[in-house]
Every structure is written in structure tokens, then in C-alpha cells.
Amino acid sequence: MTIAVTTPTGHVGSRVVRLLLQAGVRPRVLVRDPARLDADTRARVDVRRGDLTDGTYVREATAGARTVFWVDPTPHTHPEPIDTSERTGAHIAAAARSGDVARVVLLSSIGAERRHGAGHVDGLARIEEQLDASGADVLHLRCGYFFSNLLLDLDGLARGVLTTPFDPGMPMAWVDPRDIGDVVAARLLNDDWHGRTVQAVHGPEDLTFAGVAGILTEALGRTIRLETVSEDALRAQLRDAGLPSGAVEGIVGMSAGMRGLVPEQPRDLLTTTPTSLGAWAYETLRPLLAVRA
Ligand SMILES: NC(=O)c1ccc[n+]([C@@H]2O[C@H](COP(=O)([O-])OP(=O)(O)OC[C@H]3O[C@@H](n4cnc5c(N)ncnc54)[C@H](OP(=O)(O)O)[C@@H]3O)[C@@H](O)[C@H]2O)c1
């Protein structure tokens, strides 16, 4: 039962690989640069080197794998994020359609159920649809807002400011990507699910951005003040930073698309994961900010 893992150097993928190794499995990993895997891991996996946007590579590297963990690698900064996600996802969908791959676990997102109007998340919806039509067994893991998104604005947090375009009072699912990796690995190792399945990964509790600022203040031992920006102000900031208009709309659309969204999958035993934001911030964020002090 060969298991293939994409983005083994990412927040989620690296956790998946670690757990598969600990389960006694030798996974196949699809990686751009094997040197980015630590030497211990490299020695225990079958490396297929290449770029996920290359269809020929994806077909060859996944051929014969019973199960594939697929992560869309399209950066939010891409000038055509949604179409690019769709085109890249078409490679794994083709492998699934042809029977080269029997099962796919997709790292998807809350908001993909909207299908349209959630910015770059619409690209994940396109991948879900392509996989659904492939005839393979597919599991879409619709994940909440990753704790690791906070790592994208360390400068702001170091200044004591958390900036967001989201409504500060809107509760949202926030999740540790490592806990997502746990769910992915468990699903990859279970050979008994079939058909089309959707499961959410919601983290331990829904949080508002106002609440997040309070949790960070406590965990980091410094005051973190919330600053909200309007979508227009965010647009202007992203344009000033040199992002093309497609990327700007993909990013702004993600926050607009979450407004008023009630996730299709409710919070329950299966969707709730253990790590709290406070624990993650203390362990991961605090040391990163301490070296900037
Ligand atoms: N952030 C959120 O709140 C959120 C919520 C729901 C879903 N998601 C989804 O989660 C995914 C990101 O997961 P993550 O945070 O674990 O990833 P990550 O830590 O941001 O890492 C990105 C990974 O993608 C790889 N990669 C980038 N471009 C590639 C290419 N062209 N070919 C092959 N590999 C490539 C990188 O490899 P290198 O080491 O070579 O750079 C790295 O392993 C995205 O698909 C996103 O849509 C995110």
C-alpha cells in the first residue's frame, strides 16, 4: 500500500510524513528540493523530485500509489490563483481518473462549500469538483484558519499589532496545522473508507479576532492590539506591495467569502482537534518574537 505525500516540507505535510514513518510506513514524497528534508527523513522515504505544476511529473510520481495526500501548492501571490489551482489540481484528478491512483486525501478549506465567491479558496472548490468526478475514493478535509498564518506577520506582532480584514467579532474555526497532519495521517493509514467524503478540521474552538488578540497577549507576555483594515485598505496595501490584481482579489476574496459563513460540517467529535491557540503561540510564536526583542 504505497502512500504518496505532496508538500512534505510544509506545515501539514511534514507532520504527515513524520507520523507515517512512526507508523512503520515508507512513504513516497513529491518534493521540489530533497535537500529541504532533514537527512533522517530523507533516508526513510522514497523521493520523487519535481514540481507539482508539471503534469507529466505528477502522473509519473504518483503512478501506482494507492493513496495520495494532495496539497494545492499555488501561492496566494500568483497572478491567476484560482485558475492555476484548478490547472494544477487537474494533474492529480487525471491520475485518479485513469486508475493510477485509487484514493486521494485533499487538503481543502472551510469556504470551499461556497464553490464561488471565496477568493482563492474557490480554487480548492474546483479541485474538489475535479476529484469528485474522477471516480476515485476522495476525502476533502475542509480545514479552518491555520494558526501558522500568524507567522506571516511577525513584524506586526513584534510591534504589538495584529492586523486583519476579518470582522473582529466573527467566530471562526482556528486550527493547528500539526493537528491537521494527525487527521491526514490517520485517514491515509485507514484503508476502509470509500466513495466521496468531506470532513472538517476545526481546531479546538471557534475564536474571534478580538479573542485571538487577548489569547496572544497572554501567551506572548506582551500586549497585542487588534487593528482591523477595510477590504479597500487591504486592496491598496497589497497593490502597493506589488501584487498583481488577480492575487489581490484572491486574497481579499478569502476574507469576504468567510463573512457570515456557517461551515457545512458542524463542530463535533470528528472535526474538533486538541491544540489550543494559546499553547501553540507559547511554543511556536513566543520564541520567534523573543529573538526579535
Ligand atoms: N492557511 C490557511 O489558513 C489554510 C486553510 C485551509 C487550507 N489551506 C491550504 O493549505 C495549503 C498549505 O499548506 P501548508 O500550510 O502545510 O503549506 P506551507 O507550510 O505553506 O508549505 C507550502 C508547501 O508547498 C510546497 N510547494 C510550493 N510550491 C510548490 C510547487 N510548485 N511544487 C511542489 N511543491 C510546492 C513547498 O515546498 P518547498 O519546500 O519546495 O517550498 C511547501 O512544502 C494550501 O493549499 C492552502 O490552500 C490553508
Side-chain angles (χ1 to χ4, degrees), residues 19 32 115 117 201 234 243 264 269:
L19 289 174
R32 285 194 292 198
R115 295 309 197 215
V201 193
L234 177 63
L243 263 63
E264 192 173 83
L269 180 76

Side-chain angles (χ1 to χ4, degrees), residues 7 9-12 32 36 51-52 72-73 107-109 144 146 149:
T7 69
T9 57
H11 291 111
V12 178
R32 285 194 292 198
R36 286 179 45 75
D51 193 301
L52 295 176
D72 174 37
L107 183 60
S108 187
S109 176
F146 290 10
N149 294 337

